[in-house]
Amino acid sequence: ATLKVPMIFFCRNNGYAISTKTTDQYASDGIVCRSRGYGMAAIRVDGNDIFAVHSATKAAREYAIEHSEPVLIEAISYRQGHHSTSDDSYQYRSVDEVNNSENIHDPLRRFEKFLMKQHWMDENDISAVSNEERMSVLKAMERSEKRPQPKLETMFQDVYKEMPLNLMIQEEALQKHMKKYPEKY
C-alpha cells in the first residue's frame, strides 16, 4: 500500500485459521476493517456468490487502476473440506455443520440453482457440463504429467531484477543439499 500500486489483495475468509475458528483468532468480524490501517480501500463480499465476487473484483480493479492504489477484497466463505491432507476437520466441527453449509452456501450449487430457475439449463445440462469439465481437467493433468519437470534453478529466476544475497545463499544451500542426497531428487 505504501508504494501506491494498482493491486488487488484477495482474501478468502473461510471462517477458520487452519483448525481454529477465526472468532477465536481475532476480535473483529473479519479482516476488511484492517485495510484502513494500511491506507487501503476494501470491499467485503459474499464469497459464495459468483456474481457478487465478479462485481466486487471488477469494482476493485477499476478503483485500483483509476487511483493507482491497492484494494483488499475479503470474500466471506466457508471451507467445506479439510485444511490439508493431514487435517481431520471433523475433530473441531461437526459433520452436520459441514453438510448444512454445503447444501446452503456451495457456490456451484447456488449457481446451478440460478441457471435452472432462469430456465437456462436443466439438471441434464448441468450434469453434461460437469462431466465435460471433469474430462477436460483429467486430460490437462495427463498432458502436464508427460511434460518434463522444470529445472530447479528456474525457481530462483524472474523474482527480482537482481537476485538478493539471501536468495543466492538459499539457492546455494539447496544445491549442496541436493548433491548430498541425490537419491531424493
Side-chain angles (χ1 to χ4, degrees):
T2 58
L3 299 177
K4 301 294 184 195
V5 294
M7 174 180 243
I8 297 173
F9 292 92
F10 194 100
C11 171
R12 182 176 147 242
N13 183 344
N14 63 29
Y16 285 88
I18 304 178
S19 61
T20 306
K21 284 187 172 188
T22 53
T23 55
D24 295 335
Q25 290 287 319
Y26 46 79
S28 65
D29 67 344
I31 66 152
V32 73
C33 58
R34 296 167 190 231
S35 66
R36 295 186 82 192
Y38 293 99
M40 292 171 47
I43 302 170
R44 175 179 283 158
V45 65
D46 177 353
N48 298 314
D49 182 334
I50 292 169
F51 298 116
V53 171
H54 179 267
S55 178
T57 305
K58 183 178 179 185
R61 181 182 183 275
E62 290 169 0
Y63 182 93
I65 290 170
E66 182 180 331
H67 299 279
S68 191
E69 293 179 3
V71 179
L72 168 68
I73 298 174
E74 180 182 22
I76 304 296
S77 187
Y78 185 82
R79 190 183 77 219
Q80 294 174 2
H82 304 295
H83 176 72
S84 66
T85 56
S86 63
D87 178 41
D88 178 8
S89 65
Y90 299 128
Q91 297 296 314
Y92 51 88
R93 58 187 188 169
S94 71
V95 174
D96 288 341
E97 176 187 335
V98 175
N99 290 339
N100 184 48
S101 178
E102 184 177 343
N103 292 330
I104 295 171
H105 301 296
D106 183 282
L108 290 177
R109 286 188 183 182
R110 286 172 70 174
F111 187 55
E112 290 168 359
K113 287 177 185 177
F114 171 80
L115 293 172
M116 288 190 288
K117 186 175 182 179
Q118 300 301 317
H119 302 289
W120 294 339
M121 295 182 88
D122 60 24
E123 288 188 26
N124 291 332
D125 296 325
I126 290 170
S127 180
V129 168
S130 179
N131 290 334
E132 182 180 328
E133 292 304 314
R134 183 178 294 110
M135 292 308 298
S136 177
V137 168
L138 290 173
K139 287 178 184 176
M141 287 173 58
E142 287 174 7
R143 283 193 309 273
S144 69
E145 287 172 351
K146 291 177 183 174
R147 294 179 68 190
Q149 293 289 323
K151 293 181 179 180
L152 191 63
E153 57 268 13
T154 61
M155 178 171 67
F156 295 94
Q157 297 172 351
D158 299 324
V159 178
Y160 296 95
K161 183 177 179 180
E162 294 181 29
M163 190 184 301
L165 180 61
N166 65 321
L167 203 54
M168 290 180 196
I169 293 168
Q170 286 179 30
E171 182 179 21
E172 185 179 325
L174 177 61
Q175 295 295 343
K176 286 180 182 176
H177 177 80
M178 290 175 63
K179 285 180 183 173
K180 185 175 181 180
Y181 303 101
E183 70 281 358
K184 301 288 184 183
Y185 302 94

